[in-house]
Amino acid sequence: MTQEPGADVHPLDRHRDPFRVDLVRGLAAQVAARYGGDLTRMRRANGYSNATWVGDGIAVRIAHTPADMAREAALVRALPREAGHPEILGQGTAEGHGWIVTAEVRGQNLHEAWPTLTPAEQRQAIRQLWARTLTVHDASPSLRTYVAAHGGFVPATSGDATAAAGRAEAALGLTSAQRSRLHDVLGGYFRAAPLVERTVNHGDLALMNAVWDGEVVALLDFEYAVLGPAEIDLCRLVCEARVSEEGHHVDSEAGAAAVEIAARHMDPVRGRALLHGAAVLDQLRDLDIWLTLDPAEESREDWRPSRLLTGLLDTEGGCLAPLLG
């Protein structure tokens, strides 16, 4: 049974079982010590599916639940240098919890730095984030053996997507028009996806998975890397640049840059269906996570994936409107 979190519990752990939180922290401390780190001197970094601490020249990332990170580590070691991923110093498991230790990268998490950047810097960051991602896409022939065709927000089958859509319909009370559009968008994605070239996508191309030091210097966390249409990464790039944390559309230089990039790189025939479908699948996954949170949790109140999902289901296509017309 989950206990009431104390005031000293990190915000990222407030909805988690305190026993599990303590276990993961203890395992992380042991791993850090092997590489000369002291967790008490290290800072907790952003991240939902894994717990990450950075400092003392290293970054320790450990899975919250028993999971293996061997596939991700193998992929990272094969990435082109231009992706900027920090060097892996070690990888393994501790009581079933996978962990990866990398060299610490100088700079600030891009998500944390974002509000302090000028509009021109934000535009530059979006372009540089995509440039590093594109080096991974271009290396797909040598990387595809390290990734699966589903994972992250990309379900294995259209049936899995339909089930997620059903949960969203029940939770949000979608109108008949929204339900019809939801299924049309998902159907369009699964019809188009087998007909285009499959690319190695980062799979979680969020601002928090990059490091900023006057420029984007590193692309992080490939745990959700997936083989599929390039629109998987493109939809995230657009949403990150054009949607606020509260789920509202934002007009900005960064957003315009993301739209320009997506228009240039999405498939000329099937790109609209793939971009729209991938964005909806992304929000269905986030909605499933959101629904597991206690309604009283502050994190649930602040995080509203339902707002972005319903926007994507309007007639213009929400944050993707400039690309779907």
Side-chain angles (χ1 to χ4, degrees):
M1 179 176 177
T2 301
Q3 303 170 16
E4 186 68 22
D8 59 339
V9 174
H10 193 279
L12 289 170
D13 294 328
R14 286 191 174 274
H15 68 286
R16 301 186 187 277
D17 182 341
F19 173 80
R20 282 285 174 188
V21 169
D22 290 343
L23 173 64
V24 168
R25 183 179 178 84
L27 295 175
Q30 294 173 23
V31 171
R34 295 187 206 175
Y35 294 87
D38 182 342
L39 214 67
T40 64
R41 295 195 300 260
M42 300 168 71
R43 70 183 185 279
R44 182 73 178 270
N46 277 326
Y48 179 81
S49 59
N50 299 305
T52 304
W53 285 266
V54 181
D56 280 357
I58 62 173
V60 176
R61 186 157 62 91
I62 185 166
H64 283 296
T65 57
D68 187 6
M69 293 184 175
R71 178 191 284 263
E72 180 187 353
L75 170 62
V76 167
R77 290 187 172 105
L79 289 175
R81 180 175 299 178
E82 294 80 6
H85 194 286
E87 178 190 0
I88 290 184
L89 303 178
Q91 171 268 325
T93 59
E95 297 189 27
H97 293 253
W99 55 265
I100 293 176
V101 176
T102 62
E104 182 179 5
V105 176
R106 177 179 173 178
Q108 186 179 9
N109 182 278
L110 181 56
H111 178 266
E112 296 172 353
W114 191 257
T116 71
L117 304 186
T118 66
E121 286 174 327
Q122 290 180 345
R123 180 184 66 238
Q124 174 191 357
I126 287 296
R127 288 176 174 166
Q128 292 175 343
L129 180 60
W130 178 252
R132 290 196 179 272
T133 304
L134 193 58
T135 67
V136 178
H137 288 204
D138 290 344
S140 292
S142 64
L143 300 176
R144 62 178 65 245
T145 57
Y146 298 103
V147 299
H150 59 86
F153 66 80
V154 182
T157 68
S158 59
D160 292 336
T162 299
R167 293 190 293 272
E169 292 169 11
L172 303 179
L174 298 181
T175 67
S176 59
Q178 288 172 323
R179 292 197 300 271
S180 176
R181 188 158 178 78
L182 174 58
H183 288 278
D184 286 347
V185 169
L186 294 177
Y189 176 87
F190 281 96
R191 287 191 297 272
L195 304 177
V196 299
E197 182 180 1
R198 297 200 301 172
T199 294
V200 173
N201 287 267
H202 180 279
D204 191 14
L205 194 60
L207 299 180
M208 71 169 56
N209 285 331
V211 178
W212 173 264
D213 189 27
E215 61 180 346
V216 175
V217 296
L219 191 57
L220 310 174
D221 295 1
F222 278 78
E223 66 179 306
Y224 294 126
V226 64
L227 194 62
E231 285 80 2
I232 291 170
D233 278 346
L234 285 169
C235 81
R236 288 300 303 269
L237 187 77
V238 173
C239 290
E240 288 287 299
R242 301 195 77 226
V243 179
S244 71
E245 289 194 33
E246 295 76 25
H248 296 294
H249 168 66
V250 176
D251 283 315
S252 65
E253 293 184 27
V259 168
E260 177 188 348
I261 290 167
R264 187 165 67 249
H265 289 277
M266 69 186 196
D267 186 89
V269 177
R270 301 176 178 88
R272 290 179 177 85
L274 292 168
L275 198 71
H276 203 178
V280 166
L281 288 170
D282 185 13
Q283 293 313 302
L284 287 176
R285 188 276 306 267
D286 275 2
L287 185 68
D288 271 343
I289 295 172
W290 184 74
L291 291 173
T292 66
L293 302 180
D294 186 331
E297 284 283 352
E298 182 179 347
S299 55
R300 175 164 174 172
E301 181 62 26
D302 293 341
W303 182 29
R304 296 171 180 261
S306 57
R307 185 173 290 153
L308 183 50
L309 176 61
T310 53
L312 290 166
L313 298 178
D314 68 26
T315 54
E316 290 79 25
C319 66
L320 298 180
L323 295 156
L324 301 181

